[in-house]
Amino acid sequence: MFKHGPIYAEFSTDVHDRADWNVAALRSFDFPLNVASVAVDAISSLLAVGTANGAIYLFGGPSVETKLLLPEPVKVKFLQFSSSTFQLVCLDEKSQLHMWDLSIFGKPKHVASARFDNATSLTLSPSHSHAFVALESGEIRTYDLLCHRKSEYRVPNMWQLFEDKTMATRMDPTPASPFPVETVIHPRDLNLLFVAYSGGVILSDLTQRNTLRAYELSLPAGAPGGPGFGHPDILTHRRPEVTAIAIHPAGHFFAVGYADGCIAFWAVEDEDQPLFVRTVDTVDVNRVNVDELEKTHDAPPPREPIYKLAWSSFSNSSDPRGGQTALTILGGLVMGPNEATGLTVHWLPAFNPTDPPSPAASQTSLHPFMRSAMQTSLQPASEFFYSTSGIPQDFFLVPQNSPHFSGHYDPAAILITVESADDARVIEAYQFPPPSFLASIEPPADSEAPPSDSDVVDDLESTLKSLTLNDDPRIITLPLPLWLSSSGAYQAELFTLDRDSHALLVGGETEYPYTLSLKGGAALNVEDVTRELRLAKFQMPRILITLHRNLTFAIQFHDISAQLLVTNDAPIENDFPKPLPRLTIDLQTLLTDAAVVKKTSPSFFEHAAVQKVHFGQQSLECVVQLASGEVVVYRLKPETPHPQQYTEIVDEEIVLLDNVLASDDSRFAPYFLLTTGKPVSACAISDIGFLAVAYTESLVVVDMRGPRVIFRSGRDKKKDRMSLHLHASDHTHISSLTWTVSTLENDPQLRVRLIVGHISGATEVLTVLRDSNSPSWLVDPNPKKVETVTNSLPMGTFILDGKTGLPIHATKEHLAHSLQPTPAETHCILVVAGAKGARCIADVTGSRIAKTDWGNKTGVVQSVQIVNKMGSHALVAFTDSQEAMAYSLPSLEFICSLKLPITYTSLSCDDTGDWIACTANGAYATIEHASYGTVFDFRRAYTPPNITIPKPSVPSQPQPVSLGPTSLLSSWFRFGQSMTGDQLDILLGGPDRPIPVKQTKPQASPGQPDSQTLADRAAGVQSNLYARLQSAMGERGQMLGDLEDRFNSLEEGSKSMVTQAKRLAAQQSAKSWFGI
């Protein structure tokens, strides 16, 4: 092995056989990049996300996460929760309806499917168990979610019947071949159904099976409409197509969006004229302005159609009619290359009119006083524009606790699906409504005494800080898979920490207020897994660091320790991995700081991207290496802020960042920036305050205690006295940097060393010494040299203890030992791995111990790691052919080849053999899938947990409210008690509706214990958790039995009503919807 020097023991005793290795993927994570639909259940606190490839992801409380698959990999077109039947309902791109039962223990179960012909929309209500499915033919079909069958009740193409009836009186007698765009149930009357056809809106009475109103927008010649003046068709009569509809929460008027970008507001009781017509930026676009019409106008830029509308109310009023409302508008913006992308929100006054001064002339018409009050409530008091990173495709509001009002009541967040530059569709989440809206309704603060001079001085800092804040909605963090895809994760690094460092890093985490609150369900470990997880306390804590394209969330930290899954017969309390949002590093504000901009190029911010992150596993310092060559050092904020002191920086490469205002939400603060205007080829941080950065052929070493530069190489001596001009043959590309505290062959004293690896194979060892004349440090001008391997890998250099084989890092403990004057009696080994092979060298600069070549058939080695198992160590090389090759230490004998069970584009392995492998998708290499695994899968219990979701009670259906105050019994508007959900189910399901009956299992005789009884007795001695689950299932069965009795009683009491409904159905024809 070598000619002279000590003989080293074998470090790979317990990993020298193939049986000592067992590679496996422990957990898999999907990061959806093709989101197609979203559903939110407020009462169950669940979130479901459907994708374009037929996958549905369900998220709830801690570790409540599962993936459901459609029978075919087709796009999830519509996705909704059925609160009454406790199901997840999906309508796919092939018009197939699918249902999953959420009450099944373990995982939701697919229970039924049904096929429709060219479905265009899906509508559910939390108050009944029927789904309305609109077909392209114009027909509305109904599906019984409880009985899993199509109901006989159907609605014909009412707009076609309306056009046939009014054909003789229409200005444009050509039929428009209408198709249903959307169906909306009246928010306060289940008997009323709004059907938005492309030609107009129909209000239908489901019980009477007729049409109550038909609303059609006609723009007269000369009216600008959505396109505005200058449009070539402005002098023609136009009927824009309907694209969206939203009902005011009071139920007395509604908004309709059109393809030309305008929005018409209609009173329910007035189908002749809209209350108001506008675009997002112009009012009264249905009126003819002669003066503007006579002017010469250029052709206007195109305007988007109104894609979607949502009308939200809030718990901000004691009036039954509600308080201020928010109308959210997707679309309607002017299209152009430099136009902003996003959606608009209008904050509208409350509709709380008083009594009308006099009764209306006709009981069937809308009172002018009420019409004026409606128009007043439609004038926005404020507006806000949610700017998005890409083109918004859809949006979904997240209500706090009510599923009614189409899921738009009292929302706390808004989810926006956005199409990014690489054609990915992800979700962005924001606070809703904007804080500026809520500030407008907050009562003014009580008057206080004028502040004293001392108060003004004390509050100066907070006042200056408040000037940097704004009222923009905060970004809401989503469940981890959605959050990483939204912020554009493209790289992941896995680190192990000692328990003290982990406690310091994670222990400061408090509840993050800007997280999407999902608490539905519970995750329970499988019994076998629970026993194995008890061994998790012996594992090292682990941290996962992810890099993101969104610079506001550029660096994110996640706890991926096995201890998160340990429970004592109780639901899992943590997500896995667990996000640590208060450790997120925001580069957006840093890169726009004046001091940073002054030191960087003008295009620096536009092209800024994180290339790599280096993390001090003991010091917890984070070094961010940017692709443009800048290096930023971050430190944890001290628990007690220290008074800021002036620090003079003499090095032109260093920019101190103490003046940069860090967010209160982040525990990391920027320390300094290192810039030379050159790209970085290698970087290394130590846990003892040193940073080394290589720029191809030059090197800079920084003592971070200053900070100050203590070493420069590759520069002219005449220009810089601190430079060290190395030999010309050594001026090759620097490919690796490694810090350690070790001895050398001819230097038995422990010292701080920097090992510099070059592509040529030459390796230099720089020694950092304590300056005898000052407390500062300096670098020995005479580096040691040794030949290792060519093309050394960036993280492929290790220094091992000659006795134990443990890696020797530059830690505080090793630094303390190096300050002792007594020479060390131990030896060390330098291990260097490159693109073609690896070498082991005695005492860093001594003789070669062993070497190995990877070979040509193994693929390209991308990374290496020295892994530890029970005190034994081995070198593992990971290749681009998804293989891992294990070699013994220090002899570098080949042990075995391990085939990894996944396909990956990047992989990070820690020193225990655990790895995170990522698969990227698209031209921007955004992570689409990740697998967490290990090369030592022995008693590692990471099986996904069972999920249980209790069925919540559904709030009662909101009842109709009058136009006037509650004391007024209006005689000209019909209102009263709404039809109940049970009544509507009977109407839609028909008299022969086969309600499923809960089957009860026969109980065994007490005197004759059978196998079931013995099994029950055995289950009784299990954990308290399973006893509680069994009790809960029994209570659930009793509740379902009571529900069955109620249905039977309701059926008996409604026989006369069913008979009457059958007689009416037989007498009426399709034209009876209009009484002709």
Side-chain angles (χ1 to χ4, degrees), residues 502-534:
H502 180 265
L504 179 61
L505 184 68
V506 179
E509 280 290 307
T510 57
E511 184 177 357
Y512 190 66
Y514 306 108
T515 300
L516 187 65
S517 179
L518 296 175
K519 302 178 181 179
L524 307 170
N525 282 318
V526 182
E527 184 179 2
D528 295 339
V529 172
T530 303
R531 291 194 297 266
E532 298 294 338
L533 278 175
R534 295 172 183 171

Side-chain angles (χ1 to χ4, degrees), residues 869-886:
K869 177 190 175 185
M870 300 178 63
S872 294
H873 307 271
L875 177 69
V876 180
F878 297 91
T879 72
D880 60 353
S881 58
Q882 284 73 50
E883 287 189 4
M885 300 179 295

Side-chain angles (χ1 to χ4, degrees), residues 141-187:
R141 294 296 307 271
T142 57
Y143 186 87
D144 194 332
L145 298 172
L146 183 62
C147 303
H148 298 154
R149 67 165 194 165
K150 294 180 181 179
S151 298
E152 293 300 323
Y153 190 100
R154 62 184 68 192
V155 180
N157 190 331
M158 295 179 289
W159 191 259
Q160 186 67 56
L161 297 176
F162 170 73
E163 286 189 335
D164 293 342
K165 178 182 178 181
T166 60
M167 184 67 66
T169 59
R170 300 177 68 84
M171 297 182 62
D172 183 10
T174 306
S177 301
F179 62 91
V181 176
E182 188 176 358
T183 58
V184 180
I185 301 170
H186 192 284

Side-chain angles (χ1 to χ4, degrees), residues 153 158 202-213 1068 1072-1075:
Y153 190 100
M158 295 179 289
I202 292 291
L203 176 60
S204 169
D205 187 317
L206 296 177
T207 302
Q208 300 299 325
R209 294 174 177 258
N210 64 0
T211 296
L212 299 178
R213 307 283 183 191
Q1068 293 178 347
S1072 66
W1073 288 83
F1074 286 90

Side-chain angles (χ1 to χ4, degrees), residues 272-440:
D272 298 328
Q273 290 294 330
L275 297 168
F276 192 57
V277 183
R278 64 166 302 157
T279 63
V280 293
D281 49 20
T282 310
V283 298
D284 294 330
V285 296
N286 61 327
R287 300 181 183 275
V288 179
N289 188 327
V290 178
D291 295 335
E292 287 292 331
L293 195 61
E294 291 178 350
K295 296 179 182 179
T296 301
H297 296 273
D298 296 331
R303 185 182 292 273
E304 294 177 326
I306 301 296
Y307 297 112
K308 187 174 182 178
L309 298 170
W311 213 326
S312 306
S313 60
F314 303 88
S315 54
N316 54 11
S317 174
S318 59
D319 194 300
R321 295 167 294 180
Q324 291 94 334
T325 61
L327 180 64
T328 308
I329 306 166
L330 175 61
L333 302 176
V334 174
M335 294 185 288
N338 298 320
E339 296 292 338
T341 59
L343 51 83
T344 308
V345 183
H346 287 176
W347 186 248
L348 304 176
F351 176 68
N352 301 140
T354 59
D355 300 346
S358 59
S362 173
Q363 295 184 354
T364 60
S365 63
L366 181 64
H367 196 289
F369 176 81
M370 291 298 177
R371 182 180 182 88
S372 176
M374 291 180 182
Q375 292 172 335
T376 301
S377 68
L378 296 175
Q379 305 298 325
S382 181
E383 298 181 6
F384 187 83
F385 184 77
Y386 281 91
S387 180
T388 56
S389 61
I391 301 175
Q393 302 296 319
D394 205 344
F395 71 88
F396 307 87
L397 297 176
V398 182
Q400 297 189 49
N401 48 34
S402 175
H404 298 294
F405 301 101
S406 299
H408 300 154
Y409 178 74
D410 206 10
I414 182 171
L415 311 181
I416 307 174
T417 57
V418 176
E419 184 172 332
S420 60
D422 54 349
D423 296 331
R425 288 196 178 187
V426 297
I427 301 177
E428 295 181 1
Y430 302 89
Q431 278 181 303
F432 191 93
S436 58
F437 289 1
L438 299 179
S440 64

